[in-house]
């Protein structure tokens, strides 16, 4: 499922309309250092990819919505870097993205100065709305671009919310790509469930998924996979995946393939050997809660009400396990269920939904209740990928059993 150039052309057109025919400039990510003199495997900034389809680093997009003109700005690549790493040709960039032309960075400076004579405002992607929660260094490309635009235009505004509003309703070809990523991920889970009695280490499980994803032509993992045995499952984003698989413990798996630019995100919890009565009870409580919460979804459903009712369902689940004795005990509630019930899904594993008041047909989100009991070394999460439809919802990962 490779996106056509018309897909990217239409996305740019829709953004231009939303911005009132203004000028917007977006940048690809820069390469990031991995070790001494090598870079990380490159992954593109999602909004730039959605507008261009370009997978290469350091390219830029300029769109003049008033004239309906678009340009890609090619990065300067030194001869030695081209010999080692190659590069994207102007011809291929136009073929992928459908832009009008490719220009150099020097030509882009001249173009932007000319556009600034006609447009007071220029739009860039802008800072992430949850940046204060990040515990990592952000890719510097967008900040560098905004600084350069500030020297040319009178006003630089962010358009992240505008792109998010467009991206949150998935187009048919996007849903098709998501289905492929999800189906491949399901195939991996089914393989692991079958082979689990023969596997001894968390890293063996991770390797089985990774091998399958690459063998089937996917980019690989959409995010660092979580293969968490026993107590490790209580670390929500555990990704060391190096411990032994111990009998009478649970194994929590949170894995998703990235295929044709789109991400799956599925969680299941399996028993290593024969589960205990307590493990069975915790898993059953999460399984029942997930079914009930998924059934809340549909077009026109209040997002605020969905979260309130989901919390009530999770409180009942915790009380059934004697982990809470008072429904108003917020501290215990967040101790045993410390994360959100849902997030958007698409190009990014955590795709923005833009804070809508109501769910709309075309949105794709996860439903992932979990219960984490550190003192008992039990962590259970069950997560499915849900498409909101005109008449209700479709569980895109329903083919994968949630059973222990």
């Amino acid at each position: 499922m490779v996106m056509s150039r018309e897909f990217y052309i239409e996305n740019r057109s829709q953004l231009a309309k939303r911005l009132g025919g203004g000028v917007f400039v977006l940048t690809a990510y820069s390469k990031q250092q991995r070790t001494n003199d090598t870079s990380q495997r490159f992954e593109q900034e999602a909004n730039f990819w959605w507008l261009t389809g370009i997978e290469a680093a350091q390219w830029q997009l300029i769109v003049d919505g008033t004239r309906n003109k678009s340009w890609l700005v090619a990065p300067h690549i030194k001869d030695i870097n081209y010999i080692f790493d190659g590069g994207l040709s102007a011809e291929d960039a136009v073929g992928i993205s459908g832009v009008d032309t490719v220009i150099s960075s020097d030509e882009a400076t001249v173009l932007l100065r000319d556009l600034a004579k006609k447009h007071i405002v220029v739009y860039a992607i802008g800072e992430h709305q949850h940046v204060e929660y990040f515990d990592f260094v952000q890719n510097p490309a967008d900040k560098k671009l905004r600084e350069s635009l500030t020297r040319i235009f009178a006003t630089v505004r962010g358009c992240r919310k505008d792109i998010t509003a467009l991206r949150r309703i998935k187009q048919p070809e996007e849903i098709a790509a998501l289905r492929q990523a999800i189906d491949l991920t399901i195939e991996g889970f089914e393989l692991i469930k079958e082979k689990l009695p023969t596997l001894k280490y968390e890293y063996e499980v991770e390797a089985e998924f990774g091998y399958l994803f690459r063998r089937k032509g996917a980019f690989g993992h959409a995010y660092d996979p979580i293969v968490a045995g026993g107590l490790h499952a209580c670390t929500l984003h555990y990704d060391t995946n190096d411990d032994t698989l111990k009998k009478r413990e649970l194994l929590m798996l949170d894995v998703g393939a990235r295929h044709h630019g789109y991400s799956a995100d599925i969680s299941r919890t399996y028993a290593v050997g024969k589960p205990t009565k307590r493990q069975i009870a915790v898993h059953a409580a999460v399984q029942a809660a997930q079914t009930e919460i998924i059934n809340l979804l549909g077009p026109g459903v209040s997002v605020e009400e969905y979260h309130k009712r989901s919390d009530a369902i999770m409180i009942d689940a915790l009380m059934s396990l004697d982990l809470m004795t008072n429904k108003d005990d917020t501290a215990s509630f967040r101790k045993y269920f410390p994360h959100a019930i849902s997030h958007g899904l698409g190009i990014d594993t955590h795709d923005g939904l833009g804070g809508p008041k109501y769910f709309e047909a075309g949105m794709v989100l996860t439903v992932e209740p979990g219960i984490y009991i550190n003192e008992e070394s039990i962590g259970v999460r069950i997560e499915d990928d849900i498409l909101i439809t005109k008449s209700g919802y479709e569980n895109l990962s329903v083919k994968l059993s949630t059973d222990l």
Side-chain angles (χ1 to χ4, degrees), residues 181-364:
I182 290 166
D183 286 346
L184 180 55
T185 306
I186 288 172
E187 186 177 344
F189 272 93
E190 291 174 337
L191 174 67
I192 291 301
K193 187 76 179 288
E194 179 183 341
K195 296 185 71 170
L196 190 56
T198 69
L199 302 177
K200 297 180 180 179
Y201 297 94
E202 293 169 343
Y203 57 74
E204 290 182 285
V205 177
E206 177 184 336
E208 292 286 350
F209 276 108
Y211 173 69
L212 175 69
F213 293 168
R214 291 298 290 142
R215 183 167 61 85
K216 292 297 182 78
F219 173 88
H221 290 281
Y223 51 91
D224 291 335
I226 300 169
V227 183
L231 180 61
H232 295 312
C234 296
T235 300
L236 300 183
H237 285 172
Y238 171 82
D239 60 8
T240 308
N241 303 345
D242 271 344
D243 209 346
T244 55
L245 301 177
K246 301 176 181 65
K247 297 294 184 183
R248 306 286 278 178
E249 285 191 343
L250 297 181
L251 175 65
M252 198 281 289
L253 305 172
D254 190 330
V255 182
R258 179 181 170 193
H259 203 21
H260 299 308
Y262 287 78
S263 302
D265 187 3
I266 298 173
S267 298
R268 293 292 186 269
T269 305
Y270 298 141
V272 181
K274 185 178 180 181
T276 67
K277 290 183 178 179
R278 180 61 167 174
Q279 291 168 348
I280 292 170
V282 174
H283 185 275
V286 175
Q287 188 178 38
Q290 197 218 22
T291 298
E292 192 174 353
I293 292 167
I294 290 174
N295 285 330
L296 298 175
L297 290 168
V301 171
S302 163
V303 175
E304 182 180 4
E305 185 65 20
Y306 166 72
H307 284 289
K308 286 181 179 178
R309 294 180 67 182
S310 296
D311 283 354
I313 290 167
M314 291 306 299
I315 287 170
D316 287 342
L318 293 172
M319 293 189 72
S320 74
L321 297 168
D322 295 323
L323 295 171
M324 289 179 65
T325 57
N326 180 346
K327 290 189 175 185
D328 296 324
D329 183 0
T330 303
S332 293
F333 177 56
R334 284 307 173 197
K335 175 184 176 181
Y336 296 112
F337 176 50
H339 60 77
I341 192 64
S342 295
H343 60 75
L345 183 67
I347 303 169
D348 287 317
T349 306
H350 290 175
D351 236 25
L353 292 177
K357 290 185 178 181
Y358 302 95
F359 290 113
E360 302 172 57
M363 290 181 176
V364 178

Side-chain angles (χ1 to χ4, degrees), residues 20-81:
V23 173
F24 56 90
V25 185
L26 271 75
T27 180
Y29 275 151
S30 302
K31 288 185 177 180
Q32 295 282 275
Q33 184 179 24
R34 181 180 182 185
T35 57
N36 179 32
D37 58 353
T38 61
S39 62
Q40 298 279 0
R41 183 185 184 187
F42 183 73
E43 293 186 52
Q44 190 59 279
E45 198 277 328
N47 298 293
F48 186 83
W49 184 88
W50 186 79
L51 291 165
T52 67
I54 300 298
E55 297 277 7
Q58 296 173 306
W59 285 71
Q60 292 179 357
L61 169 70
I62 303 173
V63 175
D64 180 353
T66 302
R67 292 190 290 159
N68 192 28
K69 293 281 291 182
S70 59
W71 301 263
L72 276 173
V73 184
H76 173 69
I77 301 177
K78 296 177 181 179
D79 290 342
I80 188 65
N81 295 121

Side-chain angles (χ1 to χ4, degrees), residues 96-163:
I96 292 166
S97 65
V99 297
D100 296 317
T101 189
V102 175
I103 59 178
S104 68
S105 56
D106 288 341
E107 290 171 317
T109 300
V110 174
L111 171 63
L112 289 170
R113 286 173 178 164
D114 181 63
L115 289 171
K117 296 174 184 177
K118 307 176 183 69
H119 297 268
I120 296 174
V121 176
V122 66
Y123 293 89
I125 187 65
E127 195 167 65
H128 195 284
Q129 64 270 31
H130 299 307
V131 66
E132 68 269 24
Y133 300 113
F134 291 175
D135 62 350
F136 50 81
V137 176
Q138 294 183 81
N139 193 290
D142 181 64
K143 182 179 180 181
K144 184 178 179 181
L145 171 64
R146 283 185 281 127
E147 288 173 349
S148 68
L149 291 174
T150 300
R151 293 191 290 269
I152 299 173
F153 288 84
T155 303
V156 180
R157 292 179 183 166
C159 63
R160 182 182 294 273
K161 290 182 178 179
D162 297 282
I163 301 178

